[in-house]
């Protein structure tokens, strides 16, 4: 009788568990990118995931090259984070968190986050941010091998979201946003009514324009010349540390020949 009772109790517990949430069974979405700068197209993606997931992590990567700036001035990861927080606060999205990764690649930053050393708990259902446009979700084709055991990766082709377009019908583009900002436009079309001015303030564009106007462009010229001089200095230091001259086609050709002879491929 005791064994029968225990069997019935175990069966009842199993039936109850079927209707309950698994341990640690929250859904987390990760939306990675350099976001230079973040705009309403990015925000639309995050809003869609915020309505489906318990939490959304906007993961900002840190590219090694200071590219995709405005007027020769790079947009830093910290500035991207400030713009994100401004956009999210305006929308009241309390289940979205913005983090900066030291990884230069958005995909690598994501794999570090969801991997063995990352903070995800077993039982988490994982969504990797992607757009339905142009098969963008295909970049996560090999993601499963990087995900920590115990994490359920939802199929990216099924969780990819529909991208938003500008009022004109054109797609949102960070390149177009940078062009408008560089031309002195508030670019509210990319950030929301009245938000473009705040973006310009975060990026320090108004102060740079004032200084440039006062100095007749001297500030920009100084920055460009300073950057060139720093690159020259860096190149000289690198050359001092190397045991051979900088690579050129002839040098590379000779090195390949040496390697082939060493390995016995040619004599």
């Amino acid at each position: 009788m005791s064994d029968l009772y225990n069997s019935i109790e175990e069966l009842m517990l199993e039936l109850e568990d079927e209707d309950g949430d698994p341990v640690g069974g929250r859904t987390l979405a990760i939306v990675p990118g350099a976001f230079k700068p973040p705009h309403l197209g990015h925000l639309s993606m995050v809003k869609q995931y915020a309505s489906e997931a318990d939490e959304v992590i906007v993961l900002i990567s840190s590219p090694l090259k200071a590219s995709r700036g405005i007027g020769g001035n790079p947009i830093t990861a910290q500035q991207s984070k400030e713009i994100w927080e401004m956009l999210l606060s305006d929308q009241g999205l309390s289940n979205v968190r913005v983090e900066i990764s030291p990884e230069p690649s958005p995909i690598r930053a994501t794999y570090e986050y969801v991997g063995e050393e990352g903070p995800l708990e077993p039982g988490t259902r994982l969504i990797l941010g992607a757009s339905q446009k142009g098969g963008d979700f295909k970049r996560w084709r090999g993601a499963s091998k990087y995900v920590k055991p115990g994490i359920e990766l939802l199929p990216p082709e099924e969780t990819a979201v529909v991208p938003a377009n500008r009022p004109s019908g054109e797609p949102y583009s960070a390149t177009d946003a940078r062009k408008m900002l560089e031309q002195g436009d508030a670019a509210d079309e990319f950030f929301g009514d009245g938000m473009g001015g705040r973006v310009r303030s975060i990026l320090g564009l108004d102060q740079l324009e004032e200084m440039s106007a006062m100095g007749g462009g001297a500030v920009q010229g100084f920055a460009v010349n300073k950057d060139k001089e720093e690159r020259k200095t860096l190149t000289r230091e690198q050359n001092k540390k190397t045991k051979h001259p900088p690579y050129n086609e002839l040098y590379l050709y000779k090195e390949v020949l040496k390697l082939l002879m060493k390995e016995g491929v040619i004599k």
Side-chain angles (χ1 to χ4, degrees):
M1 180 64 72
S2 177
D3 290 341
L4 177 61
Y5 176 83
N6 290 335
S7 298
I8 294 174
E9 186 177 38
E10 288 175 5
L11 179 60
M12 291 179 65
L13 288 172
E14 287 178 8
L15 292 174
E16 289 176 2
D17 286 344
E18 288 181 2
D19 294 327
D21 292 328
V23 177
R26 67 177 189 138
T27 301
L28 174 73
I30 298 180
V31 180
F35 305 114
K36 293 182 177 288
H39 51 63
L40 293 181
H42 298 134
L43 181 64
S44 172
M45 175 181 283
V46 167
K47 287 174 67 176
Q48 291 182 68
Y49 284 128
S51 66
E52 301 170 6
D54 297 298
E55 184 178 22
V56 179
I57 301 294
V58 174
L59 194 58
I60 303 174
S61 57
S62 303
L64 298 176
K65 294 183 178 180
S67 58
R68 291 177 289 176
I70 299 174
N73 299 289
I75 298 175
T76 67
Q78 183 58 42
Q79 287 172 328
S80 296
K81 185 173 186 288
E82 289 181 35
I83 296 172
W84 259 121
E85 290 174 342
M86 177 195 71
L87 295 174
L88 295 171
S89 176
D90 183 65
Q91 294 291 318
L93 296 174
S94 58
N95 65 332
V96 181
R97 184 156 47 93
V98 184
E99 296 188 16
I100 295 176
S101 169
E103 292 291 337
S105 161
I107 292 179
R108 183 62 186 170
T110 303
Y111 289 161
E112 287 287 325
Y113 198 93
V114 304
E116 291 282 359
E117 304 299 322
L120 301 192
E121 298 178 358
T124 299
R125 290 181 293 273
L126 176 64
I127 296 174
L128 295 180
S131 165
Q132 291 183 6
K133 181 181 177 182
D136 179 54
F137 58 84
K138 292 180 181 178
R139 60 178 166 163
W140 302 121
R141 185 173 292 167
S144 58
K145 63 184 177 182
Y146 296 98
V147 176
K148 178 191 299 185
I151 305 299
E152 179 187 357
L153 174 61
L154 302 183
E157 65 273 19
E158 296 179 10
T159 57
V161 298
V162 179
N165 288 328
R166 295 155 62 180
S168 62
E170 298 177 69
Y172 281 100
S173 161
T175 300
D176 292 341
R178 290 195 300 272
K179 287 180 180 177
M180 291 186 71
L181 290 169
E182 191 164 9
Q183 293 167 1
D185 198 311
D188 279 1
E189 181 179 357
F190 288 89
F191 308 107
D193 293 339
M195 305 293 279
R198 295 169 65 182
V199 170
R200 292 183 63 83
S201 178
I202 291 173
L203 298 177
L205 296 177
D206 294 330
Q207 294 92 322
L208 287 172
E209 288 173 3
E210 289 175 7
M211 292 174 67
S212 180
M214 292 174 60
V219 173
Q220 183 176 355
F222 172 78
V224 171
N225 290 333
K226 184 173 181 292
D227 182 54
K228 288 181 179 178
E229 190 60 37
E230 287 178 349
R231 287 201 298 268
K232 288 179 181 178
T233 301
L234 180 59
T235 301
R236 286 196 295 268
E237 291 299 320
Q238 288 174 335
N239 290 343
K240 289 179 183 178
K241 294 178 181 179
T242 56
K243 296 181 181 180
H244 52 72
Y247 276 104
N248 54 47
E249 291 184 7
L250 179 58
Y251 180 84
L252 183 59
Y253 176 71
K254 290 180 178 179
E255 288 297 301
V256 171
L257 282 178
K258 287 180 183 178
L259 180 59
L260 292 174
M261 293 176 68
K262 181 180 179 181
E263 295 296 327
V265 178
I266 61 175
K267 297 182 179 179

